[in-house]
Amino acid sequence: MYNLRRFKSSAVLIVITFALAVCSCNKSKNQAEKDLGTYDSPEEALRETKQALEKLSTNVNTGIESVLYVNEYDKSKNLIFKTTK
C-alpha cells in the first residue's frame, strides 16, 4: 500500500515537472519567433548567410577528417590483428 502511494506521488511530481518544462520551452520558443533575425537589405542577408555556411562547413570538414582518421585506424588495426571469419 505504501509503495503504491509513493508511486502515485512520484508520478504526479513527474507530470508536474514535465508540464513546467513544456511551458518554459514554449515561452522561450515564442521569444525566439519574435526575433527572426531578418535583415533590411538582401546584401546584408547574403553576407550573413555566407558567414553562417562557412562556419557550418568548417565543422563538417572537421567531422569528415575525424571519420577518415577512424577509417585509417580500422584499416591499420585489421592489418595488424588479422581477423578470421
Side-chain angles (χ1 to χ4, degrees):
M1 185 67 176
Y2 176 73
N3 287 337
L4 183 61
R5 187 171 21 160
R6 189 173 179 189
F7 175 74
K8 286 180 182 179
S9 299
S10 298
V12 169
L13 288 174
I14 290 170
V15 169
I16 290 172
T17 305
F18 181 72
L20 290 174
V22 168
C23 290
S24 68
C25 287
N26 284 339
K27 184 178 179 181
S28 64
K29 183 179 178 184
N30 290 338
Q31 182 66 25
E33 287 176 355
K34 290 179 184 177
D35 181 26
L36 296 176
T38 57
Y39 295 98
D40 294 330
S41 69
E43 292 83 12
E44 186 180 3
L46 178 64
R47 183 175 55 251
E48 292 296 323
T49 302
K50 283 182 178 180
Q51 190 176 27
L53 289 174
E54 285 175 4
K55 288 180 183 178
L56 178 66
S57 174
T58 302
N59 290 335
V60 170
N61 288 339
T62 301
I64 289 173
E65 289 171 3
S66 297
V67 169
L68 293 175
Y69 178 76
V70 169
N71 286 339
E72 286 299 317
Y73 170 78
D74 283 340
K75 287 179 187 176
S76 299
K77 180 187 73 168
N78 291 337
L79 185 65
I80 294 170
F81 303 108
K82 295 186 188 224
T83 57
T84 58
K85 291 184 180 181

